[in-house]
Amino acid sequence: MARLRGLGLAALAAVGPALAAVDLVALVLGVTPVVLWIRRWPVAARRLAGDWCEVPIADPYDPVPPPPRPRPDGMYEVRRRLYRRPHLPAYRQRAHWLSSDGATWLDLLWLVVNPVVGTALGLATVIVGRRGLRWHGRWTRALLGARRPWPNWVKDRVVLILDGAQLAAQSLAGLLLAALQLVSAALALVGVTWPLIVLIENSRGYTNYYRRRVGVDEPYRPAPPVPRPEPDGRYRVGRRLFRSPTIPVRLARLYWLTGDPASGRDFLWMLVNPLVTLTLLAAPCAALLWGFAQVTTAVTLLWRHDQTWWLAPLGFAASVLALVIGPTLRRWHDRWTSVLLAPTKSARLARRVQRLTETRADAVDTQAAELRRIERDLHDGAQGRLVAMGMALRTVERLLDRDPETARRLIVEVRENTSVALNEIRELVHGIHPPVLAERGLADAIRVAALDCPLDVEVAADLPGRLDPPVESAAYFAVRELVTNAAKHSGASRIRIDVHFDELLRITVHDDGRGGADPAGGTGLLGVRRRLGTFDGVLDVRSPVGGPTTLTMEIPCALSSRRTSTSSEPD
Amino acid sequence: MRVVIAEDVYLLRAGLTRLLEAYDFEVVAAVESGPELLAALIEHRPDVAVVDVRLPPTFTDEGLRAAIEARRTHPGLPVVVLSQHVQQLYARELLADGGAGVGYLLKDRVFNDEQFVDALRRVAAGGTAMDPDVVTKLIAGTPPLARLSPREREVLELMAEGRSNAAISQRLHLSDSAVSKHIAAIFGKLGLAASDDDNRRVLAVLAHITGNSSHTHP
């Protein structure tokens, strides 16, 4: 009986390589039904190991994911993408479930290797009987048993190497762009400039893709301003004059693109990168695939004598070597890329200068607008009232003896007027710098704003001291703008404000409204962003349609030690 | 009646002194900074103190903090806080100790000297004097008050300012009994225990609208 079973196991192993090839293709293409169908073999092998070989093995697969559920807006979300109907996302989800399961890849390895070992042990059973069956069972458990970290190690590296191969293939596009740049540079010399402009601009898109992959910033200089006409309406470029702005605009772009040292570095990188990727990325991929092919062929064609036997171990060694050094080579490639594509020190300084120029202009604009508003309010309000009161008092002076009754009435009027003027000035002061902010600092000023807000606003503030007055003021008005926005547009019923200081000031405003806040849409968020920009502060907007909305601002600043908040929370 | 004045602007300090002396108050000290105020309050133990929120040396909330500090060491010390602006937050902090004898008014209220002096006397007698502005803000933040009728709301606002039954009836041109009826209705709707003592009743109302529920049953 045991001998018959051994023969059966050997026969089962023989179909492995063919299935392995199909399985690999199906996994790469994401054909989940085929992968699931092939899974029956390792599942059967585990069952047989338990039933025949007395080595029970549990199935190690990840649980089936639940079907995607619709979001509030009716769309289906899978892996950060939205779908209108559930079928495609469900399919994608299953494909990801299979390919991210280490056990799937282990099954694949087993299909490749088992024809050698499994067949040998199966045949051995015919000779040694039951003992052979137990060996077979242990072998199956070693490969198909509970999950171990090493299949993931292999999987991660295979994915990385295949990804590198993709980068290597894409580097040829860079070579093409570099060659075309050379040709169009020659064209530009004879006066046809637009191909060079278009090419360099597109090359920047190409290199930016790599910059994002290795995580470095753009190094380019800011785009040139639109040329301005001379007093006679013509445009001057060097010693030449043009009637229409078309050519001056194009020339300005050309000088901007070609005059930037980063363009030269891009060109050099695109020219040399194919060579680098060939050695660092394509080579390990080739070694891996060649090795895999050698081992598979050797196993499949075991019985053929013309097979050079040593190719199989060599192929195995090549694959393993590729897996071991693949990530290191990839790191070298990334370093090479970032050395050439990252902004140089002067490029970084140039960008910083540009940013400072922008934010300074914003700050000056905001200040000027603020001063104009204050001037208008004072002029229309308090100033006018003082004039009126002065006139009324003059009349009182005249009437005092003749008509004391009217004089008394006028004085009452003047007194009422002082109250109104005081109220107006109070509101004005509140808009310039709220008294609570001056008296108590940011945390209490935000608490007061929360108390005055019609919605349910919860404030959690934890500031160990006072901030610089300009930062305090900017942060306060930003928070008020955000809270007003939330109350006006989001339909929220609750708002939560967190104020926290840790090296920098971080304020989060969270509301349970309908979301969809977009800095590009209204001027409110844009204004806040601009105002914070003066302090190198940033505003992060997270507001998916359907809500909730979380707005986070961060302002780098120092904390002064004076502490004035005594806030004994009343409730 | 002995009074301490704390105000950093000379003209206002002199004006307040003159006004109060005209109404037979005895100004025992008129100081201009936070530390001086605390010292004067503890040394003179006045019948009432008139305190500006913003005082030297920091020009922040020195006056308010000195007043709260003095009331912590001498509970019930009558203090009227004056300011160019009124804030719910400060009102809540002043009322947080639950004691009587607190006032919080806009500086403009000094223009009406009779009402101002009346408020001072009320506070000195252990009552309260809250600015109508701050009362409006406090009431706006208390949702259950929506159940009150407009007339009851008016009565509640005046009561929260610290006024007596007689003053309310005079202000709203109602009879004493009508005011009493309204007050009973308000206390019923808010679930507060009624009391005959004017001051206690006011404190109960203020405690209710500042959310200080531990004082609802005095």
Side-chain angles (χ1 to χ4, degrees):
Chain A
M1 190 63 186
R3 293 186 168 83
L4 266 180
R5 285 179 172 176
L7 273 178
L9 288 174
L12 192 68
V15 288
L19 287 176
V22 178
D23 198 22
L24 185 64
V25 172
L27 267 172
V28 170
L29 297 181
V31 192
T32 51
V34 175
V35 181
L36 281 177
W37 184 78
I38 291 175
R39 192 176 263 193
R40 292 170 177 202
W41 260 263
V43 168
R46 285 191 202 93
R47 220 186 38 239
L48 289 181
D51 292 352
W52 291 357
C53 315
E54 295 155 13
V55 185
I57 309 170
D59 278 339
Y61 303 114
D62 287 341
V64 186
R69 286 243 293 266
R71 295 156 22 107
D73 59 353
M75 304 280 275
Y76 295 86
E77 183 186 337
V78 169
R79 304 198 5 102
R80 284 175 294 157
R81 278 186 72 151
L82 294 180
Y83 299 85
R84 203 158 295 165
R85 289 164 191 290
H87 312 296
L88 194 60
Y91 192 83
R92 272 201 63 182
Q93 199 174 25
R94 284 176 83 80
H96 177 70
W97 162 62
L98 280 175
S99 64
S100 65
D101 190 348
T104 308
W105 299 91
L106 211 48
D107 285 356
L108 184 65
L109 184 71
W110 175 79
L111 286 172
V112 173
V113 187
N114 193 45
V116 186
V117 186
T119 311
L121 289 175
L123 294 178
T125 310
V126 179
I127 303 165
V128 301
R130 290 179 68 89
R131 216 153 8 119
L133 271 183
R134 213 163 305 127
W135 291 343
H136 193 281
R138 283 196 201 125
W139 150 251
T140 311
R141 186 173 58 189
L143 222 55
L144 295 184
R147 215 128 37 96
R148 279 159 205 187
W150 70 269
N152 279 326
W153 182 88
V154 171
K155 188 200 78 183
D156 291 346
R157 274 158 197 248
V158 168
V159 168
L160 190 74
I161 288 172
L162 290 180
D163 181 62
Q166 199 192 346
L167 282 179
Q170 283 165 349
S171 73
L172 293 177
L175 189 62
L176 184 69
L177 278 171
L180 286 174
Q181 270 190 25
L182 272 183
V183 177
S184 50
L187 278 176
L189 284 181
V190 298
V192 188
T193 52
W194 63 264
L196 187 58
I197 296 177
V198 171
L199 267 170
I200 297 186
E201 280 177 349
N202 281 301
S203 306
R204 289 188 171 184
Y206 173 78
T207 46
N208 277 341
Y209 165 74
Y210 281 87
R211 286 194 182 94
R212 279 196 299 279
R213 293 199 64 143
V214 298
V216 296
D217 292 331
E218 273 188 47
Y220 305 118
R221 288 179 185 165
V226 180
R228 289 188 181 216
E230 306 265 286
D232 61 357
R234 290 184 297 177
Y235 295 84
R236 184 181 157 176
V237 178
R239 286 192 219 163
R240 291 196 293 166
L241 290 170
F242 296 89
R243 209 163 292 151
S244 92
T246 324
I247 294 179
V249 165
R250 190 182 296 165
L251 283 177
R253 279 198 90 70
L254 181 71
Y255 295 150
W256 167 55
L257 290 168
T258 54
D260 194 339
S263 295
R265 294 167 73 90
D266 279 8
F267 177 77
L268 184 68
W269 180 81
M270 289 192 294
L271 203 64
V272 185
N273 193 42
L275 205 66
V276 178
T277 51
L278 193 69
T279 46
L280 294 184
L281 301 181
C285 180
L288 181 71
L289 294 181
W290 179 79
F292 185 75
Q294 289 313 316
V295 173
T296 323
T297 352
V299 169
T300 320
L301 306 178
L302 204 54
W303 57 89
R304 277 181 56 178
H305 299 293
D306 57 346
Q307 173 78 10
T308 341
W309 67 270
W310 48 267
L311 273 179
L314 185 67
F316 185 72
S319 296
V320 170
L321 184 68
L323 289 177
V324 170
I325 65 169
T328 312
L329 296 180
R330 175 61 180 271
R331 258 199 306 283
W332 288 357
H333 168 264
D334 287 357
R335 201 173 303 156
W336 137 261
T337 302
S338 52
V339 160
L340 231 63
L341 294 190
T344 57
K345 199 172 170 189
S346 73
R348 217 170 288 145
L349 279 175
R351 287 182 88 81
R352 178 79 187 138
V353 168
Q354 185 206 359
R355 169 105 181 115
L356 289 177
T357 312
E358 281 171 13
T359 53
R360 188 185 59 174
D362 283 349
V364 171
D365 279 356
T366 320
Q367 292 265 317
E370 196 75 338
L371 286 178
R372 269 199 307 280
R373 187 180 65 81
I374 295 167
E375 184 271 336
R376 206 175 45 231
D377 284 2
L378 280 176
H379 182 268
D380 297 352
Q383 217 172 355
R385 279 188 200 287
L386 278 174
V387 172
M389 286 190 286
M391 289 192 323
L393 284 175
R394 174 79 193 112
T395 318
V396 168
E397 203 181 333
R398 250 186 297 119
L399 287 178
L400 215 49
D401 296 328
R402 237 176 338 114
D403 186 358
E405 207 37 55
T406 318
R408 184 189 302 276
R409 199 168 44 74
L410 270 175
I411 288 178
V412 171
E413 212 170 86
V414 168
R415 205 184 62 196
E416 279 165 2
N417 250 330
T418 56
S419 279
V420 179
L422 273 173
N423 251 327
E424 283 172 1
I425 293 179
R426 193 173 296 131
E427 269 163 35
L428 186 65
V429 163
H430 200 84
I432 299 171
H433 194 83
V436 187
L437 188 59
E439 290 162 5
R440 287 290 186 80
L442 185 60
D444 276 358
I446 290 178
R447 282 194 190 103
V448 166
L451 282 173
D452 289 345
C453 179
L455 301 184
D456 183 3
V457 186
E458 188 188 339
V459 181
D462 139 43
L463 291 179
R466 288 287 293 261
L467 304 160
D468 280 346
V471 175
E472 231 172 30
S473 170
Y476 171 79
F477 282 107
V479 168
R480 249 201 14 199
E481 177 76 32
L482 298 185
V483 171
T484 312
N485 260 351
K488 244 198 269 176
H489 305 302
S490 78
S493 59
R494 294 179 56 86
I495 299 178
R496 189 185 153 79
I497 306 175
D498 284 291
V499 185
H500 184 68
F501 184 88
D502 181 18
E503 305 284 306
L504 45 70
L505 175 68
R506 179 179 294 114
I507 304 179
T508 316
V509 178
H510 180 89
D511 74 62
D512 61 353
R514 66 177 82 93
D518 180 10
T523 53
L525 291 178
L526 205 65
V528 169
R529 199 167 261 178
R530 277 175 42 166
R531 228 185 290 191
L532 295 181
T534 312
F535 302 91
D536 281 329
V538 289
L539 172 70
D540 177 53
V541 178
R542 277 184 204 179
S543 182
V545 175
T549 300
T550 305
L551 305 160
T552 308
M553 54 179 140
E554 290 181 343
I555 310 176
C557 59
L559 204 63
S560 72
S561 53
R562 69 197 166 104
R563 187 197 172 112
T564 46
S565 176
T566 53
S567 179
S568 46
E569 278 280 53
D571 41 351
Chain B
M1 201 173 278
R2 297 162 64 252
V3 54
V4 165
I5 297 175
E7 163 64 59
D8 56 314
V9 180
Y10 170 74
L11 279 177
L12 275 175
R13 193 167 65 236
L16 271 173
T17 310
R18 210 162 45 225
L19 177 100
L20 293 182
E21 280 172 353
Y23 279 88
D24 293 334
F25 284 80
E26 181 197 348
V27 179
V28 291
V31 299
E32 54 181 313
S33 78
E36 282 177 284
L37 167 64
L38 199 56
L41 285 180
I42 288 167
E43 187 196 328
H44 296 292
R45 298 293 305 276
D47 296 319
V48 63
V50 181
V51 174
D52 184 11
V53 167
R54 201 183 289 198
L55 289 177
T58 61
F59 290 100
T60 58
D61 59 347
E62 291 285 326
L64 182 70
R65 279 188 291 152
I68 291 175
E69 173 66 28
R71 279 172 64 80
R72 193 162 53 231
T73 45
H74 303 286
L77 180 75
V79 176
V80 173
V81 174
L82 289 184
S83 175
Q84 292 287 13
H85 60 98
V86 285
Q87 301 292 345
Q88 289 192 56
L89 186 71
Y90 295 178
R92 286 165 191 270
E93 287 174 10
L94 277 169
L95 293 168
D97 63 9
V102 185
Y104 182 36
L105 298 172
L106 271 177
K107 277 189 182 166
D108 315 9
R109 308 299 171 205
V110 181
F111 293 171
N112 193 333
D113 48 0
E114 282 162 17
Q115 283 200 16
F116 176 65
V117 167
D118 179 49
L120 282 193
R121 295 216 168 99
R122 216 158 62 223
V123 171
T128 36
M130 287 287 130
D131 198 273
D133 275 18
V134 82
V135 168
T136 315
K137 283 184 180 178
L138 286 172
I139 286 182
T142 316
L145 299 184
R147 279 178 304 170
L148 300 185
S149 73
R151 185 57 109 185
E152 285 164 358
R153 254 183 107 91
E154 278 176 346
V155 173
L156 177 71
E157 280 179 24
L158 289 171
M159 202 164 31
E161 284 169 26
R163 295 179 194 279
S164 64
N165 278 15
I168 295 173
S169 61
Q170 197 187 343
R171 186 57 109 48
L172 297 178
H173 309 293
L174 293 171
S175 68
D176 275 356
S177 62
V179 170
S180 303
K181 228 167 62 192
H182 283 307
I183 291 177
I186 294 167
F187 272 68
K189 285 184 183 178
L190 299 185
L192 300 177
S195 161
D196 288 337
D197 181 345
D198 274 2
N199 287 345
R200 271 192 179 182
R201 215 173 46 204
V202 170
L203 281 178
V205 167
L206 283 171
H208 181 77
I209 59 182
T210 54
N212 223 340
S213 57
S214 56
H215 303 292
T216 47
H217 300 286

